[in-house]
Amino acid sequence: MLTGIALACAPERLEPERSCPEPLAAEAPRFEHACEHAAIGPFGSLDASREAVELRNTHMLYTVTLRRTTNGYAGELRFTPRATGRYGIFMASDFPLLAREDGDEVCLRGVAAQSPCEGLARAQAYDLVEGRSVELAITDAATSTVSLVVELL
């Protein structure tokens, strides 16, 4: 007599990965207004070396102090939009920046890898909602400070 045991495994229930469409060059943020802030201000500073700090104002060039990590420098900023719309984050140097809302990645809507002005190097655009706090995570930066401007486009 043959005896057999059959084991069956239920398929794992995996949460679907959030997938963002590739950002379009045509949706890249425009630099003109942000270039003015890079040149003439207003200027501000934030210390994100210990904990996430609130980035309260658009139209301001912030210098952000970061903490040392094994891969360079990192820090987190919180930003709560005062209006719903597309926001550009204009960076004075090229560093990794990820936007998250409630732990989920906010899809990148546009990228501009070249700037027409001195003082800004690149920009990323995101669609943000009024009153919803967004974490801006800076990772693997090459320097202990970075500079950026946030603009409603």
Side-chain angles (χ1 to χ4, degrees), residues 69-84:
T69 67
T70 55
N71 295 325
Y73 296 89
E76 292 80 31
L77 304 170
R78 284 184 315 277
F79 174 65
T80 304
R82 295 181 187 146
T84 296

Side-chain angles (χ1 to χ4, degrees), residues 3 9 13 16 19 25 37 40 43-44 47 66 76 90 120 131 140 144 152-153:
T3 305
C9 294
R13 290 189 168 223
S19 95
H37 294 302
I40 61 173
F43 303 104
D47 185 352
L66 306 171
E76 292 80 31
F90 299 85
L120 295 175
D140 304 334
S144 63
L152 177 60
L153 302 176

Side-chain angles (χ1 to χ4, degrees), residues 23-51:
L24 301 174
E27 295 182 21
R30 299 179 70 171
F31 280 84
E32 290 79 12
H33 188 72
C35 288
E36 290 179 26
H37 294 302
I40 61 173
F43 303 104
S45 61
L46 297 169
D47 185 352
S49 63
R50 294 196 171 101
E51 62 185 1

Side-chain angles (χ1 to χ4, degrees), residues 84-141:
T84 296
R86 183 151 299 164
Y87 284 79
I89 301 172
F90 299 85
M91 299 168 270
S93 58
D94 191 6
F95 55 86
L97 178 79
L98 177 66
R100 290 186 286 244
E101 184 181 290
D102 296 325
D104 293 327
E105 179 182 357
V106 178
C107 292
L108 188 59
R109 296 298 181 200
V111 175
Q114 294 182 358
S115 168
C117 64
E118 201 171 306
L120 295 175
R122 61 177 277 120
Q124 296 178 186
Y126 298 93
D127 290 337
L128 304 179
V129 177
E130 177 182 359
R132 288 194 192 162
S133 185
V134 176
E135 177 188 347
L136 303 174
I138 300 165
T139 60
D140 304 334

